[in-house]
Amino acid sequence: MEYEKTQAFISEAERAFELMGRAIRMAGYQNIKNVRTIRKADSSQSFIQVNKKVGYQGSDSLSIQHGLSDGVDFDCIGNVLNKERTRKDLAFQGFTVDRPAGIAKGKKVAGGSLICQSLDRQGRIQNTTLMNGVNRLLIEEVADLQANGSESQKLYKLSLQMTDGAFIQVDLERTFATRNLR
């Protein structure tokens, strides 16, 4: 039983890492058709933000903005991104860990919930639970990679600690690089 739970945690964490990694890689993407519009809207725009110790058990949060491509783009819960799901022509994706919904305060919980934040069709932030059993999410900027002079790429290490609240605690980490920051 313990082995099965551990494997389920690893599988869910891999899915979460894939979604967060994809968002990190997309951070700052600008479609060549909209570059002037986006830059005019806010030239000091921060396309990727890490907020430290703001979530459940001191978890960090991650917020990412990017433009839409000419193809089909998806947010972290699988919604097709279109002009309606943007603010100032930028899509938004966020990841945070929160106390599980529907559990009374003071009641023992088996970890928090990893929440995906994206924009609805009216451009408002919507929160959707991706998975439960997350004890902590830690995000560390590892390096600021200089490539081709003015382009600045960043490297982020994501650490997820999964728990069943009793016997199992699994620590996993992955590292992802941005592709589109300038």
Side-chain angles (χ1 to χ4, degrees):
M1 184 77 154
E2 188 175 320
Y3 176 78
E4 287 178 14
K5 279 186 180 181
T6 300
Q7 292 306 307
F9 281 149
I10 291 169
S11 176
E12 286 187 356
E14 288 296 335
R15 178 175 159 260
F17 281 137
E18 183 59 35
L19 293 170
M20 290 185 283
R22 183 178 67 192
I24 288 170
R25 289 187 297 271
M26 285 296 294
Y29 171 80
Q30 297 176 39
N31 189 320
I32 195 71
K33 296 174 186 175
N34 300 329
V35 168
R36 289 187 188 122
T37 308
I38 292 170
R39 286 195 179 144
K40 245 187 253 180
D42 187 0
S43 61
S44 65
Q45 184 67 47
S46 178
F47 293 109
I48 188 164
Q49 292 182 322
V50 175
N51 295 307
K52 304 298 265 175
K53 298 184 181 191
V54 295
Y56 178 77
Q57 300 285 78
S59 289
D60 301 336
S61 72
L62 178 66
S63 301
I64 292 163
Q65 294 186 62
H66 60 85
L68 299 178
S69 72
D70 289 331
V72 179
D73 299 318
F74 298 96
D75 66 9
C76 47
I77 56 171
N79 293 321
V80 174
L81 292 174
N82 54 31
K83 187 97 169 138
E84 291 176 323
R85 292 184 181 271
T86 65
R87 281 191 196 156
K88 297 181 182 178
D89 291 323
L90 291 173
F92 170 83
Q93 294 186 71
F95 299 91
T96 188
V97 179
D98 204 356
R99 183 175 175 76
I103 303 212
K105 286 200 177 218
K107 193 168 188 175
K108 185 169 172 55
V109 295
S113 298
L114 180 64
I115 306 294
C116 161
Q117 298 175 314
S118 61
L119 299 176
D120 65 11
R121 290 190 179 128
Q122 287 76 40
R124 298 177 302 217
I125 292 179
Q126 63 181 0
N127 293 327
T128 305
T129 300
L130 289 177
M131 65 181 185
N132 294 309
V134 179
N135 198 42
R136 186 172 293 134
L137 168 64
L138 300 175
I139 304 162
E140 179 184 344
E141 185 176 334
V142 177
D144 194 356
L145 308 172
Q146 292 297 325
N148 301 339
S150 65
E151 295 183 23
S152 176
Q153 301 302 306
K154 296 181 178 183
L155 197 60
Y156 291 92
K157 181 172 79 172
L158 307 179
S159 301
L160 268 176
Q161 185 180 75
M162 308 291 293
T163 185
D164 69 348
F167 304 107
I168 301 171
Q169 185 168 311
V170 180
D171 295 314
L172 302 157
E173 65 182 39
R174 299 291 180 273
T175 303
F176 299 97
T178 60
R179 293 184 180 167
N180 302 298
L181 299 181
R182 302 219 181 272

